[in-house]
Short mmCIF file of all heavy atoms in Angstrom, two decimals:
data_model
loop_
_atom_site.label_atom_id
_atom_site.label_comp_id
_atom_site.label_asym_id
_atom_site.label_seq_id
_atom_site.Cartn_x
_atom_site.Cartn_y
_atom_site.Cartn_z
N THR A 3 6.22 136.61 96.12
CA THR A 3 6.85 135.59 95.48
C THR A 3 6.15 135.25 94.11
O THR A 3 6.59 134.35 93.35
CB THR A 3 6.77 134.23 96.25
OG1 THR A 3 5.37 134.00 96.52
CG2 THR A 3 7.47 134.32 97.51
N ALA A 4 5.14 136.06 93.74
CA ALA A 4 4.57 135.87 92.43
C ALA A 4 5.55 136.22 91.30
O ALA A 4 6.16 137.26 91.35
CB ALA A 4 3.32 136.85 92.29
N LYS A 10 5.04 145.13 89.93
CA LYS A 10 5.77 145.67 91.11
C LYS A 10 5.39 144.73 92.31
O LYS A 10 4.34 144.41 92.41
CB LYS A 10 5.33 147.05 91.46
CG LYS A 10 5.70 148.03 90.29
CD LYS A 10 5.27 149.45 90.72
CE LYS A 10 4.98 150.22 89.41
NZ LYS A 10 4.23 151.46 89.68
N GLY A 20 9.59 154.60 114.14
CA GLY A 20 10.11 153.39 114.74
C GLY A 20 9.00 152.54 115.37
O GLY A 20 7.83 152.69 114.90
N PRO A 23 7.24 150.44 121.93
CA PRO A 23 7.68 149.46 122.91
C PRO A 23 6.38 148.77 123.42
O PRO A 23 5.27 149.36 123.42
CB PRO A 23 8.32 150.19 124.06
CG PRO A 23 8.22 151.66 123.67
CD PRO A 23 7.49 151.80 122.41
N LYS A 36 -11.37 152.23 125.94
CA LYS A 36 -12.26 153.35 125.66
C LYS A 36 -12.19 153.50 124.22
O LYS A 36 -13.29 153.82 123.57
CB LYS A 36 -11.75 154.69 126.27
CG LYS A 36 -12.55 154.99 127.65
CD LYS A 36 -12.13 156.33 128.15
CE LYS A 36 -11.47 156.14 129.47
NZ LYS A 36 -10.65 157.34 129.89
N PHE A 37 -11.10 153.46 123.64
CA PHE A 37 -11.01 153.73 122.11
C PHE A 37 -11.76 152.54 121.43
O PHE A 37 -12.54 152.85 120.47
CB PHE A 37 -9.56 153.69 121.77
CG PHE A 37 -9.27 153.81 120.27
CD1 PHE A 37 -9.55 154.99 119.58
CD2 PHE A 37 -8.80 152.67 119.58
CE1 PHE A 37 -9.29 154.98 118.18
CE2 PHE A 37 -8.55 152.74 118.17
CZ PHE A 37 -8.86 153.93 117.54
N ASP A 43 -19.02 151.54 118.83
CA ASP A 43 -20.24 152.27 118.86
C ASP A 43 -20.47 153.13 117.52
O ASP A 43 -21.56 153.38 117.15
CB ASP A 43 -20.18 153.27 120.00
CG ASP A 43 -20.30 152.55 121.39
OD1 ASP A 43 -20.70 151.39 121.32
OD2 ASP A 43 -19.87 153.17 122.41
N GLY A 91 -9.76 193.10 125.14
CA GLY A 91 -9.63 194.62 125.08
C GLY A 91 -11.02 195.23 125.04
O GLY A 91 -11.21 196.48 124.93
#
Side-chain angles (χ1 to χ4, degrees):
Chain A
T3 56
K10 294 181 211 166
K36 262 189 245 162
F37 175 71
D43 293 339

